[in-house]
Amino acid sequence: MNAIAQKRMITALAASLMLAGCAGTANLASHAQADIDPMADPLIASDDMLTSAAALLVAAQAAPDAASRAPVMERLLALNVQPADAASDNPLAQWRTAHAPYAGTPYRGRTLGPAYRRANLAPGQMIEIAQVFYAGRRAEMRAQANRSTVALAINNSRDEAVCQAQLSPQAQCRWLPLFTERFAITLENTGDMPASVYLVFE
């Protein structure tokens, strides 16, 4: 093989390797994007009930119609997810009504399931939510948003920080309250698009 033929073969091989590398990068990018898609992962079984509930709530809200939401609703009903209190924003009530025609055998879920609260934030908006946690009982909360532009901070009644996180789009907070008291949960949407956040706890 002469020098010209060798040079052409090396050039062709380099081009092939470059194309393969670009394809691999594209595949990695598509996987990374799927990881933050709220509809991508919630039907995968999780050992963490609160994480599953938070992901399922975001997925249910993102579903375009009741038929698409049906498998997500089955999981939510099995976990017996409920609003934190009667005054809480409760989209589940509307979703349950729409889900009725698609429901199969009723689930007999947990007697006590995770509680949730929802917050909708306009671009640049900051809101504060008060939630009571009990002394000596481990406090555990999951937060999941439909966007990764939401910052979370939790302070006790003495304005001492117990948790700070950026939702990307999910975060978890665990701490042991010394007193039974209200904790301030602050959410801030630093992006330029509306964001919806679900806070889930036991």
Coordinates of all heavy atoms in Angstrom, one line a residue, residues 111-173:
T111 N -53.0 2.3 54.9 CA -54.0 3.0 55.7 C -53.6 4.5 55.8 O -54.5 5.3 55.7 CB -54.1 2.4 57.1 OG1 -54.4 1.0 56.9 CG2 -55.2 3.0 57.9
L112 N -52.4 4.7 56.0 CA -51.9 6.1 56.1 C -50.8 6.2 55.0 O -49.8 5.6 55.1 CB -51.3 6.4 57.5 CG -52.3 6.4 58.6 CD1 -51.6 6.6 60.0 CD2 -53.4 7.5 58.4
G113 N -51.0 7.1 54.1 CA -50.1 7.3 53.0 C -49.4 8.6 53.2 O -49.6 9.4 54.1
P114 N -48.5 9.0 52.3 CA -47.8 10.2 52.3 C -48.7 11.4 52.1 O -49.7 11.3 51.4 CB -46.7 10.1 51.2 CG -47.2 9.1 50.3 CD -48.0 8.2 51.1
A115 N -48.4 12.5 52.7 CA -49.2 13.8 52.5 C -48.4 14.7 51.6 O -47.2 14.6 51.5 CB -49.4 14.5 53.9
Y116 N -49.1 15.5 50.9 CA -48.4 16.4 50.0 C -49.0 17.8 50.0 O -50.2 18.1 50.5 CB -48.5 15.9 48.5 CG -49.8 16.2 47.9 CD1 -50.1 17.3 47.1 CD2 -50.9 15.2 47.9 CE1 -51.3 17.6 46.5 CE2 -52.1 15.5 47.4 CZ -52.3 16.6 46.6 OH -53.5 16.9 46.1
R117 N -48.2 18.8 49.6 CA -48.7 20.2 49.4 C -48.1 20.6 48.1 O -47.0 20.2 47.7 CB -48.2 21.1 50.5 CG -48.7 20.7 51.9 CD -48.3 21.7 53.0 NE -49.1 22.9 52.8 CZ -49.3 23.8 53.8 NH1 -48.7 23.6 55.0 NH2 -50.0 24.9 53.7
R118 N -48.9 21.4 47.3 CA -48.4 21.9 46.0 C -48.2 23.4 46.1 O -49.0 24.1 46.7 CB -49.4 21.5 44.9 CG -49.0 22.0 43.5 CD -49.9 21.5 42.4 NE -51.2 22.2 42.4 CZ -52.0 22.1 41.4 NH1 -51.7 21.5 40.3 NH2 -53.2 22.7 41.5
A119 N -47.2 23.9 45.4 CA -47.0 25.3 45.2 C -46.7 25.6 43.8 O -46.0 24.9 43.1 CB -45.8 25.7 46.1
N120 N -47.4 26.6 43.3 CA -47.2 27.1 41.9 C -46.5 28.5 42.0 O -47.0 29.4 42.7 CB -48.5 27.3 41.2 CG -49.2 25.9 40.9 OD1 -48.5 25.0 40.5 ND2 -50.5 25.8 41.2
L121 N -45.4 28.6 41.3 CA -44.6 29.8 41.4 C -44.4 30.5 40.0 O -44.0 29.8 39.0 CB -43.2 29.5 42.0 CG -43.1 29.0 43.4 CD1 -43.1 27.5 43.5 CD2 -41.9 29.5 44.1
A122 N -44.7 31.7 39.9 CA -44.5 32.5 38.7 C -43.0 32.7 38.6 O -42.2 32.6 39.6 CB -45.2 33.8 38.8
P123 N -42.5 33.1 37.4 CA -41.0 33.4 37.3 C -40.6 34.5 38.3 O -41.2 35.5 38.5 CB -41.0 34.0 35.9 CG -42.1 33.3 35.1 CD -43.2 33.3 36.2
G124 N -39.5 34.2 39.0 CA -39.0 35.1 40.0 C -39.7 35.2 41.3 O -39.3 35.9 42.3
Q125 N -40.8 34.4 41.5 CA -41.6 34.4 42.7 C -41.0 33.6 43.8 O -40.4 32.6 43.6 CB -43.0 33.9 42.4 CG -44.0 34.0 43.6 CD -45.4 33.5 43.3 OE1 -45.6 32.9 42.3 NE2 -46.3 33.7 44.3
M126 N -41.1 34.1 45.1 CA -40.7 33.4 46.3 C -42.0 33.3 47.2 O -42.7 34.2 47.4 CB -39.6 34.1 47.0 CG -39.2 33.5 48.3 SD -38.0 34.5 49.2 CE -36.6 34.3 48.2
I127 N -42.2 32.1 47.7 CA -43.3 31.9 48.6 C -42.8 31.1 49.8 O -41.8 30.4 49.8 CB -44.5 31.1 48.0 CG1 -44.1 29.7 47.6 CG2 -45.0 31.8 46.8 CD1 -45.2 28.8 47.2
E128 N -43.5 31.2 50.9 CA -43.2 30.5 52.2 C -44.4 29.7 52.6 O -45.5 30.2 52.7 CB -42.8 31.5 53.3 CG -42.3 30.8 54.6 CD -41.9 31.9 55.6 OE1 -40.8 32.5 55.3 OE2 -42.5 32.0 56.7
I129 N -44.1 28.5 53.0 CA -45.2 27.5 53.5 C -44.8 27.1 54.9 O -43.7 26.7 55.1 CB -45.3 26.3 52.5 CG1 -45.7 26.8 51.1 CG2 -46.3 25.3 53.1 CD1 -45.6 25.6 50.1
A130 N -45.8 27.1 55.8 CA -45.5 26.7 57.1 C -46.0 25.2 57.3 O -47.1 24.9 56.8 CB -46.2 27.6 58.1
Q131 N -45.2 24.4 57.9 CA -45.6 23.0 58.2 C -45.1 22.6 59.6 O -43.9 22.8 59.9 CB -45.0 22.1 57.1 CG -45.3 20.6 57.2 CD -46.8 20.4 57.1 OE1 -47.5 20.9 56.2 NE2 -47.4 19.6 58.0
V132 N -45.9 21.9 60.3 CA -45.6 21.4 61.7 C -44.9 20.1 61.6 O -45.3 19.2 60.9 CB -46.8 21.3 62.6 CG1 -46.4 20.7 63.9 CG2 -47.4 22.7 62.8
F133 N -43.7 20.0 62.3 CA -43.1 18.7 62.4 C -42.9 18.4 63.9 O -42.7 19.4 64.7 CB -41.7 18.7 61.7 CG -41.9 18.7 60.2 CD1 -41.9 19.8 59.5 CD2 -42.0 17.5 59.5 CE1 -42.0 19.8 58.1 CE2 -42.1 17.4 58.1 CZ -42.1 18.6 57.4
Y134 N -42.8 17.2 64.4 CA -42.9 16.8 65.8 C -41.6 16.5 66.4 O -40.7 15.9 65.7 CB -43.9 15.7 66.0 CG -45.3 16.0 65.6 CD1 -45.8 15.7 64.3 CD2 -46.1 16.7 66.4 CE1 -47.1 16.0 63.9 CE2 -47.4 17.0 66.1 CZ -47.9 16.7 64.8 OH -49.2 17.0 64.4
A135 N -41.4 16.9 67.6 CA -40.2 16.7 68.4 C -39.8 15.3 68.5 O -40.7 14.4 68.8 CB -40.3 17.4 69.7
G136 N -38.5 14.9 68.3 CA -38.1 13.6 68.5 C -38.5 12.6 67.4 O -38.1 11.4 67.5
R137 N -39.2 13.0 66.4 CA -39.6 12.2 65.3 C -38.9 12.6 64.1 O -39.0 13.8 63.7 CB -41.1 12.2 65.1 CG -41.6 11.3 64.0 CD -43.1 11.5 63.7 NE -43.9 11.3 64.9 CZ -45.2 11.5 64.9 NH1 -45.8 11.9 63.8 NH2 -45.9 11.3 66.0
R138 N -38.2 11.8 63.4 CA -37.4 12.2 62.3 C -38.3 12.9 61.2 O -39.3 12.3 60.8 CB -36.6 11.0 61.6 CG -35.7 11.4 60.5 CD -35.0 10.2 59.9 NE -35.9 9.4 59.2 CZ -35.5 8.4 58.4 NH1 -34.3 8.0 58.4 NH2 -36.4 7.6 57.8
A139 N -37.9 14.1 60.8 CA -38.7 14.8 59.8 C -38.0 14.4 58.4 O -36.8 14.4 58.3 CB -38.6 16.3 60.0
E140 N -38.9 14.1 57.5 CA -38.4 13.6 56.2 C -39.3 14.2 55.1 O -40.6 14.1 55.2 CB -38.4 12.1 56.1 CG -37.7 11.6 54.9 CD -37.4 10.1 55.0 OE1 -37.8 9.5 56.1 OE2 -36.9 9.5 54.0
M141 N -38.8 14.9 54.1 CA -39.6 15.5 53.1 C -38.9 15.4 51.8 O -37.7 15.4 51.7 CB -39.8 17.0 53.4 CG -40.8 17.7 52.5 SD -40.9 19.5 52.8 CE -39.4 20.0 52.1
R142 N -39.7 15.1 50.7 CA -39.2 15.1 49.4 C -39.9 16.3 48.6 O -41.1 16.6 48.8 CB -39.5 13.8 48.6 CG -39.0 12.6 49.3 CD -37.4 12.6 49.2 NE -37.0 11.3 49.7 CZ -36.7 11.1 51.0 NH1 -37.0 12.0 51.9 NH2 -36.3 9.9 51.4
A143 N -39.1 17.0 47.8 CA -39.7 18.0 47.0 C -39.3 17.7 45.5 O -38.2 17.4 45.2 CB -39.1 19.4 47.4
Q144 N -40.3 17.9 44.6 CA -40.0 17.7 43.2 C -40.7 18.7 42.4 O -41.9 19.1 42.7 CB -40.4 16.3 42.7 CG -40.0 16.1 41.3 CD -39.7 14.6 41.0 OE1 -39.3 13.9 41.8 NE2 -39.8 14.3 39.7
A145 N -40.0 19.3 41.4 CA -40.6 20.4 40.6 C -40.6 19.9 39.1 O -39.9 18.9 38.8 CB -39.8 21.6 40.7
N146 N -41.4 20.6 38.3 CA -41.4 20.3 36.9 C -40.3 21.1 36.2 O -40.1 21.0 35.0 CB -42.7 20.6 36.3 CG -43.1 22.1 36.4 OD1 -42.5 22.8 37.2 ND2 -44.1 22.5 35.6
R147 N -39.5 21.9 37.0 CA -38.4 22.6 36.4 C -37.2 22.6 37.4 O -37.5 22.4 38.6 CB -38.8 24.1 36.1 CG -39.9 24.2 35.1 CD -40.1 25.5 34.5 NE -41.3 25.6 33.7 CZ -41.4 25.1 32.5 NH1 -40.3 24.6 31.9 NH2 -42.5 25.1 31.8
S148 N -36.0 22.8 36.9 CA -34.8 22.8 37.8 C -34.4 24.2 38.2 O -33.2 24.4 38.5 CB -33.7 22.1 37.1 OG -33.4 22.7 35.9
T149 N -35.3 25.1 38.2 CA -35.0 26.5 38.6 C -35.5 26.9 39.9 O -35.6 28.1 40.3 CB -35.6 27.5 37.5 OG1 -37.0 27.3 37.5 CG2 -35.0 27.2 36.2
V150 N -35.9 25.9 40.8 CA -36.5 26.2 42.1 C -35.6 25.9 43.2 O -35.0 24.8 43.2 CB -37.8 25.4 42.3 CG1 -38.4 25.7 43.6 CG2 -38.8 25.7 41.2
A151 N -35.4 26.9 44.1 CA -34.5 26.7 45.2 C -35.4 26.5 46.5 O -36.5 27.1 46.6 CB -33.6 27.9 45.4
L152 N -34.9 25.6 47.3 CA -35.7 25.2 48.5 C -34.9 25.5 49.8 O -33.7 25.3 49.8 CB -36.0 23.7 48.5 CG -36.4 23.0 49.8 CD1 -37.9 23.4 50.2 CD2 -36.4 21.5 49.7
A153 N -35.5 26.1 50.8 CA -34.8 26.3 52.1 C -35.9 26.0 53.2 O -37.0 26.4 53.1 CB -34.3 27.7 52.2
I154 N -35.4 25.4 54.3 CA -36.3 25.1 55.4 C -35.6 25.6 56.7 O -34.4 25.3 56.9 CB -36.5 23.6 55.6 CG1 -37.2 23.0 54.3 CG2 -37.4 23.3 56.8 CD1 -37.4 21.5 54.4
N155 N -36.3 26.4 57.4 CA -35.8 27.0 58.7 C -36.8 26.7 59.8 O -38.0 26.6 59.6 CB -35.7 28.6 58.5 CG -34.5 29.0 57.7 OD1 -34.2 28.3 56.7 ND2 -33.9 30.1 58.0
N156 N -36.3 26.6 61.0 CA -37.1 26.4 62.2 C -37.7 27.7 62.7 O -37.4 28.8 62.1 CB -36.4 25.6 63.3 CG -35.2 26.3 63.8 OD1 -35.0 27.6 63.7 ND2 -34.3 25.6 64.4
S157 N -38.4 27.7 63.8 CA -39.0 28.9 64.3 C -38.0 30.0 64.8 O -38.4 31.1 65.0 CB -40.0 28.6 65.4 OG -39.4 28.0 66.5
R158 N -36.8 29.5 65.0 CA -35.7 30.5 65.4 C -34.9 30.9 64.3 O -33.8 31.5 64.4 CB -34.8 29.8 66.5 CG -35.6 29.5 67.8 CD -34.9 28.5 68.7 NE -34.6 27.2 68.1 CZ -35.6 26.3 67.9 NH1 -36.9 26.6 68.2 NH2 -35.4 25.1 67.3
D159 N -35.4 30.7 63.0 CA -34.7 31.1 61.8 C -33.4 30.4 61.6 O -32.5 30.9 61.0 CB -34.6 32.6 61.7 CG -34.5 33.1 60.3 OD1 -35.1 32.4 59.4 OD2 -33.8 34.1 60.1
E160 N -33.3 29.2 62.1 CA -32.1 28.4 61.9 C -32.3 27.4 60.8 O -33.3 26.8 60.7 CB -31.8 27.5 63.2 CG -31.5 28.4 64.4 CD -31.5 27.6 65.7 OE1 -32.1 26.5 65.7 OE2 -30.9 28.1 66.7
A161 N -31.4 27.4 59.8 CA -31.5 26.6 58.6 C -31.4 25.1 59.0 O -30.5 24.7 59.7 CB -30.5 27.0 57.6
V162 N -32.3 24.3 58.5 CA -32.2 22.8 58.6 C -32.0 22.1 57.3 O -31.5 21.0 57.3 CB -33.4 22.2 59.4 CG1 -33.6 22.8 60.7 CG2 -34.7 22.5 58.5
C163 N -32.3 22.8 56.2 CA -32.1 22.2 54.9 C -32.1 23.3 53.8 O -32.9 24.2 53.9 CB -33.2 21.2 54.6 SG -33.0 20.3 53.0
Q164 N -31.2 23.2 52.8 CA -31.2 24.0 51.7 C -30.8 23.2 50.5 O -29.9 22.3 50.6 CB -30.1 25.2 51.8 CG -30.5 26.2 52.9 CD -29.5 27.3 53.0 OE1 -28.3 27.1 52.8 NE2 -30.0 28.5 53.2
A165 N -31.5 23.4 49.4 CA -31.3 22.5 48.2 C -31.8 23.2 47.0 O -32.7 24.1 47.0 CB -32.0 21.2 48.4
Q166 N -31.2 22.8 45.8 CA -31.7 23.3 44.5 C -32.4 22.1 43.9 O -31.9 21.0 43.8 CB -30.6 23.7 43.6 CG -31.0 24.2 42.2 CD -31.6 25.6 42.3 OE1 -31.3 26.4 43.2 NE2 -32.5 25.8 41.4
L167 N -33.7 22.3 43.5 CA -34.5 21.2 42.9 C -34.0 21.0 41.5 O -34.1 21.9 40.7 CB -36.0 21.5 43.0 CG -36.6 21.8 44.3 CD1 -38.1 21.8 44.3 CD2 -36.1 20.8 45.4
S168 N -33.5 19.8 41.2 CA -32.9 19.6 39.9 C -33.3 18.2 39.3 O -32.4 17.5 38.8 CB -31.4 19.7 40.0 OG -30.9 18.8 40.9
P169 N -34.6 17.9 39.2 CA -35.7 18.7 39.8 C -36.2 18.2 41.1 O -37.2 18.6 41.6 CB -36.8 18.4 38.7 CG -36.5 17.0 38.2 CD -35.0 16.8 38.3
Q170 N -35.4 17.2 41.8 CA -35.9 16.6 43.0 C -34.8 16.8 44.1 O -33.6 16.9 43.8 CB -36.1 15.1 42.8 CG -36.8 14.4 43.9 CD -35.9 13.8 44.9 OE1 -34.7 13.7 44.7 NE2 -36.4 13.4 46.1
A171 N -35.3 16.9 45.3 CA -34.4 17.0 46.5 C -35.0 16.4 47.7 O -36.3 16.3 47.7 CB -34.0 18.5 46.8
Q172 N -34.2 16.0 48.7 CA -34.8 15.5 49.9 C -34.2 16.2 51.1 O -33.0 16.6 51.0 CB -34.5 14.0 50.0 CG -33.1 13.6 50.0 CD -32.9 12.1 50.1 OE1 -33.7 11.4 50.7 NE2 -31.9 11.6 49.4
C173 N -34.9 16.3 52.2 CA -34.5 16.9 53.4 C -34.8 16.0 54.6 O -35.9 15.5 54.6 CB -35.1 18.3 53.6 SG -34.6 19.5 52.4

